């Protein structure tokens, strides 16, 4: 009898639990470790924006050895954040990723050079060693170099490329004249290491006309035809964008929310607040819907890769959709 | 579905054939054929499973895709091979094993070194490669020199310990006999102690072959010029070019086996007198 009561009790509790938490599960794979670059998602979770949309969101941090495209291919995520060049390259390799929303309007990528290495303008690049991130992040750099007409194979007329780790050591050590940096992260590591902005020359990819779209939301094309999945994504995009706009307006609080979610404990308060303020400049101007003109500019830039283009054919409109963002944001 | 059936048939027939070979009287031909059949079966079953189950190329390419990638990128693979295996691994291997050998002889000659240097060797061996590699890249630059340095650190200790041990192998009786012949230290070393140390020295050399390759490839993950096997593996994953990653793995496997096999052949020629070699046909 006692057993029976326990069983009934468990059953009733279970039914109640299902009723209260029948939220849809969404797994988001970030492109990089937990930091203010992804503040919008952490804010949406912390402030309950996802709960309001009846979503149960799991945010998986990335890292130097995690390729979001590979995670989604293996079924480890429903939606991933990726840079458009590597998403389009993955698409060409047979993994049909589709951009459903684009919270970042501008690119935060730049090449930061030391003046004492003799760099004033891009004309000074030949013969110099430049640090570049690989693992799918090299595409904007390669299309810039091909636009400048500089070979990257180490020949005399071109530049020497070294694979930069995800830090700025090569610049500080003098092993490279320039390194890749993000406006919101590595640039400040250089400043923190003791160099002043006067010691540095900065080339923003935006200013050089080779900026490509960063940190868009991508899903698998075949999933979009499932109405339940599409509906989930509509709610996810709506809540995430709400999180982003909240983070833009409250950078300090958003940075603290990110810190609370940083299981590694590697981030500091000062660094995250500064990062959030810089990231807010990049998300400003985007309501979450992808601007087709930005998409075309990215594609054109990638196609101009000279002898070794990033993508060989224009992926066309199939690589992005407004179907989700239209429903989410209007 | 037909691919799955094909895989099953290949698996069963490969198994049956090898079982039949095992039942037959031992012959050198069977000993060569059996592992080949095993390998071929493995590759064919892999191909059948990938095709039959429709596994995405991004997760696991079929052997035929890897073969195509291999054929299409021989120029890249060759350049990477030169950079990583010839420049990084082999030079580091030569420097590491060479210096370990010289220091082992010194340690053997001067007992106070044994107390001082061996613990240092121990310490170096305990350093994790992923901790050392970024530091060595900082010291020796991005090119192959820093990779060779990582290899030196990795192969040094096994070679040192094995050689030191090997030099103590000769019996006191044998050394006494050398003394009655009027042989000095160097003569005894050359004629008696080094030859009897050879099985140990080759042990160290063989362990070093695989360590050298691993060290050179992993060190390239921590900053490298834009070629080299470690560079290609770590960056191609990000580009989802898994077929190229696997082609590099094939090259690494071939290079590693050849390297190991080469050292084992030299060992066979040098230590022909040793019981472990004599017992083989």
């Amino acid at each position: 009898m006692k057993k029976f009561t326990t069983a009934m009790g468990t059953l009733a509790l279970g039914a109640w639990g299902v009723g209260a938490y029948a939220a849809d599960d969404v797994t988001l794979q970030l492109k990089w470790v937990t930091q203010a670059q992804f503040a919008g998602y952490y804010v949406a979770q912390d402030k309950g924006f996802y709960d309001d949309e009846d979503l149960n969101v799991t945010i998986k941090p990335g890292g130097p050895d995690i390729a979001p495209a590979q995670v989604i291919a293996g079924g480890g995520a429903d939606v991933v954040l990726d840079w458009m060049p590597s998403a389009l390259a993955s698409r060409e390799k047979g993994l049909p990723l589709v951009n459903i929303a684009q919270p970042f309007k501008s690119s935060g990528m730049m090449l930061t050079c030391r003046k004492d290495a003799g760099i004033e303008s891009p004309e000074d690049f030949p013969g110099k060693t430049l640090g570049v991130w690989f693992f799918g992040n090299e595409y904007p750099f390669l299309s810039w170099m091909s636009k400048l007409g500089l070979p990257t194979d180490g020949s005399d007329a071109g530049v020497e490329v070294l694979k930069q780790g995800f830090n700025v050591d090569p610049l500080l050590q003098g092993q490279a004249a320039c390194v890749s940096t993000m406006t919101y992260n590595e640039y400040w590591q250089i400043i923190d290491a003791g160099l002043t902005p006067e010691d540095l020359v900065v080339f923003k990819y935006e200013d050089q006309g080779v900026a490509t779209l960063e940190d868009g939301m991508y899903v698998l094309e075949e999933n979009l035809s499932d109405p339940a999945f599409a509906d989930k994504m509509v709610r996810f995009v709506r809540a995430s964008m709400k999180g982003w706009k909240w983070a833009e307006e409250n950078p300090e609080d958003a940075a603290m929310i990110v810190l609370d979610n940083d299981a590694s404990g590697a981030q500091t308060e000062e660094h995250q607040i500064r990062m959030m303020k810089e990231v807010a400049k990049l998300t400003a101007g985007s309501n979450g819907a992808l601007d087709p003109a930005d998409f075309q500019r990215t594609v054109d830039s990638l196609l101009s890769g000279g002898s070794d283009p990033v993508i060989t054919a224009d992926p066309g409109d199939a690589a992005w959709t407004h179907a989700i963002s239209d429903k989410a944001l209007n | 579905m037909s691919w799955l059936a094909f895989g099953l048939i290949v698996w069963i027939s490969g198994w049956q054939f090898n079982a039949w070979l095992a039942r037959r009287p031992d012959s050198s031909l069977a000993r060569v054929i059996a592992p080949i059949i095993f390998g071929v079966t493995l590759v064919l079953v892999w191909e059948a499973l990938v095709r039959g189950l429709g596994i995405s190329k991004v997760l696991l390419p079929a052997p035929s895709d890897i073969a195509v990638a291999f054929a299409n990128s021989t120029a890249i693979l060759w350049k990477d091979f030169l950079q990583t295996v010839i420049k990084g691994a082999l030079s580091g291997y030569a420097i590491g094993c060479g210096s370990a050998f010289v220091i082992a002889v010194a340690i053997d000659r001067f007992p106070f070194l044994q107390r001082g240097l061996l613990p240092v060797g121990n310490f170096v061996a305990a350093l994790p490669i992923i901790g050392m590699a970024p530091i060595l890249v900082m010291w020796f630059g991005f090119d192959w020199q820093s990779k060779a340095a990582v290899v030196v650190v990795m192969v040094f200790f096994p070679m040192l310990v094995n050689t030191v041990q090997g030099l103590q192998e000769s019996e006191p009786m044998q050394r006494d006999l050398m003394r009655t012949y009027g042989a000095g230290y160097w003569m005894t070393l050359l004629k008696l102690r080094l030859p009897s140390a050879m099985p140990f020295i080759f042990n160290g050399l063989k362990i070093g072959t695989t360590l050298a390759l691993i060290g050179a490839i992993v060190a390239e993950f921590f900053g490298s010029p834009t070629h080299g096997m470690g560079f290609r593996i770590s960056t191609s994953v990000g580009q989802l070019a898994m077929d190229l990653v696997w082609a590099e793995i094939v090259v690494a496997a071939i290079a590693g086996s050849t390297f190991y096999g080469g050292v084992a052949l030299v060992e066979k020629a040098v230590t022909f007198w040793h019981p472990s070699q004599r017992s083989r046909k």
Side-chain angles (χ1 to χ4, degrees):
Chain A
M1 191 61 213
K2 198 179 168 200
K3 248 185 193 163
F4 178 69
T5 330
T6 321
M8 285 310 287
T10 318
L11 206 67
L13 265 177
W16 175 76
V18 169
Y21 295 109
D24 295 311
D25 291 321
V26 173
T27 305
L28 168 71
Q29 173 66 55
L30 303 183
K31 184 169 170 62
W32 193 240
V33 297
T34 301
Q35 57 178 9
Q37 183 185 358
F38 313 109
Y41 310 100
Y42 285 111
V43 166
Q45 188 156 49
D46 193 80
K47 291 281 156 196
F49 299 160
Y50 288 137
D51 291 339
D52 297 346
E53 297 285 352
D54 206 22
L55 290 175
N56 177 27
V57 176
T58 310
I59 303 178
K60 286 163 87 172
D65 49 2
I66 292 174
Q70 215 179 8
V71 173
I72 201 171
D78 299 307
V79 51
V80 295
L81 298 184
D82 207 349
W83 289 8
M84 187 168 276
S86 74
L88 292 182
S90 306
R91 197 182 162 83
E92 230 182 53
K93 293 256 161 51
L95 184 74
L97 290 176
V98 177
N99 181 306
I100 56 166
Q102 184 63 41
F104 275 61
K105 175 72 179 168
S106 329
S107 158
M109 202 179 185
M110 51 192 195
L111 200 65
T112 302
C113 308
R114 287 176 83 124
K115 278 187 187 156
D116 58 10
I119 300 230
E120 295 287 336
S121 74
E123 278 103 69
D124 300 321
F125 284 159
K128 298 289 196 300
T129 302
L130 312 181
V132 179
W133 290 318
F134 280 81
F135 210 72
N137 302 339
E138 69 274 35
Y139 300 127
F141 172 83
L142 293 178
S143 58
W144 185 21
M145 288 302 122
S146 90
K147 195 178 164 193
L148 291 174
L150 294 173
T152 52
D153 54 1
S155 55
D156 290 339
V159 293
E160 183 81 34
V161 176
L162 72 78
K163 182 194 159 204
Q164 180 189 344
F166 291 95
N167 57 43
V168 292
D169 289 349
L171 186 83
L172 302 175
Q173 307 274 342
Q175 288 172 331
C178 307
V179 292
S180 305
T181 56
M182 300 304 290
T183 54
Y184 48 81
N185 196 358
E186 287 80 10
Y187 177 75
W188 299 101
Q189 291 177 13
I190 297 174
I191 300 296
D192 287 344
L195 291 171
T196 62
E198 289 72 45
D199 296 333
L200 303 169
V201 186
V202 169
F203 304 100
K204 282 192 179 168
Y205 281 53
E206 285 283 351
D207 301 340
Q208 304 299 324
V210 289
T212 51
L213 289 171
E214 292 161 6
D215 285 7
M217 297 182 215
Y218 292 85
V219 299
L220 287 177
E221 194 169 326
E222 70 234 34
N223 289 345
L224 279 175
S225 50
D226 171 11
F229 181 84
D231 175 55
K232 236 166 42 171
M233 285 302 119
V234 167
R235 286 179 281 147
F236 177 75
V237 169
R238 191 187 298 142
S240 300
M241 285 318 297
K242 214 167 141 191
W244 269 119
K245 293 306 148 188
W246 192 93
E248 268 176 39
E249 282 155 24
N250 308 285
E252 268 99 6
D253 294 335
M256 294 316 289
I257 290 173
V258 170
L259 279 176
D260 289 342
N261 283 287
D262 176 27
S264 71
Q267 309 292 357
T268 64
E269 194 179 327
E270 184 205 2
H271 187 53
Q272 288 306 306
I273 292 175
R274 197 163 56 187
M275 187 186 290
M276 187 60 237
K277 287 181 175 163
E278 291 293 331
V279 165
K281 292 180 194 163
L282 304 178
T283 54
S286 169
N287 66 349
L290 173 75
D291 182 348
D294 288 346
F295 171 81
Q296 202 52 48
R297 179 178 48 117
T298 300
V299 168
D300 292 343
S301 160
L302 294 177
L303 281 172
S304 69
S307 63
D308 193 17
V310 176
I311 50 175
T312 52
D314 190 329
D317 297 347
W320 60 276
T321 175
H322 274 166
I324 303 293
S325 50
D326 280 349
K327 279 189 205 156
L329 307 166
N330 295 330
Chain B
M1 204 58 218
S2 56
W3 274 106
L4 289 180
F6 169 75
L8 198 68
I9 291 167
V10 168
W11 179 45
I12 291 171
S13 49
W15 189 352
Q16 288 302 326
F17 192 55
N18 264 357
W20 176 74
L21 276 178
R23 278 195 302 272
R24 289 183 67 234
D26 191 28
S27 74
S28 57
L29 188 69
R31 246 182 290 163
V32 174
I33 290 180
I36 291 178
I37 290 172
F38 178 73
V40 169
T41 308
L42 208 64
V43 169
L44 287 178
V45 169
W46 173 359
E47 177 91 32
L49 282 181
V50 168
R51 286 178 184 273
L53 299 175
I55 295 172
S56 165
K57 246 183 173 182
V58 179
L59 296 175
L60 182 68
S64 56
D65 295 330
I66 298 168
V68 169
F70 193 102
N72 286 341
S73 34
T74 41
I76 293 176
L77 294 172
W78 175 245
K79 203 173 156 193
D80 294 345
F81 173 80
L82 285 182
Q83 170 77 10
T84 306
V85 177
I86 304 297
K87 288 183 185 164
L90 275 186
S91 60
Y93 179 80
I95 298 169
C97 291
S99 58
F101 178 79
V102 171
I103 290 174
V105 172
I107 284 177
D108 180 70
R109 181 87 175 100
F110 308 107
F112 76 92
L113 285 181
Q114 194 161 358
R115 289 193 287 275
L117 271 183
L118 265 188
V120 174
N122 242 316
F123 178 72
V124 172
L127 295 174
I129 176 178
I130 53 166
M132 286 304 291
I135 296 172
L136 291 174
V137 166
M138 221 179 269
W139 287 355
F140 295 101
F142 279 85
D143 213 349
W144 62 270
Q145 290 87 348
S146 60
K147 287 32 172 199
V150 170
V151 173
V152 168
V153 171
M154 285 188 80
V155 302
F156 184 81
F157 186 69
M159 184 64 189
L160 181 75
V161 171
N162 272 292
T163 312
V164 168
Q165 184 65 37
L167 287 171
Q168 288 157 3
E169 245 335 79
S170 57
E171 307 275 335
M173 199 73 95
Q174 296 172 316
R175 271 176 267 163
D176 284 348
L177 185 62
M178 288 302 280
R179 207 167 302 134
T180 62
Y181 290 159
Y185 169 80
W186 291 108
M187 192 56 87
T188 313
L189 184 73
L190 214 64
K191 299 273 180 186
L192 168 67
R193 303 184 60 212
L194 276 181
S196 60
M198 277 307 158
F200 285 84
I201 291 175
F202 273 103
N203 210 11
L205 287 174
K206 282 195 291 190
I207 295 171
T209 55
T210 45
L211 285 180
L213 210 59
I214 295 170
I217 291 176
V218 172
E220 286 182 357
F221 289 12
F222 299 89
S224 65
T226 53
H227 46 96
M229 294 164 77
F231 164 82
R232 198 75 59 197
I233 289 172
S234 65
T235 57
S236 298
V237 171
Q239 302 169 346
L240 294 188
M242 297 311 288
D243 45 358
L244 188 56
V245 173
W246 279 95
E248 289 282 356
I249 292 172
V250 170
V251 173
I254 294 173
S257 310
T258 313
F259 195 6
Y260 184 92
V263 174
L265 274 183
V266 177
E267 178 189 28
K268 209 171 175 179
V270 173
T271 63
F272 58 90
W273 48 269
H274 195 264
S276 69
Q277 303 292 344
R278 270 182 305 177
S279 64
R280 286 187 208 157
K281 278 172 206 157

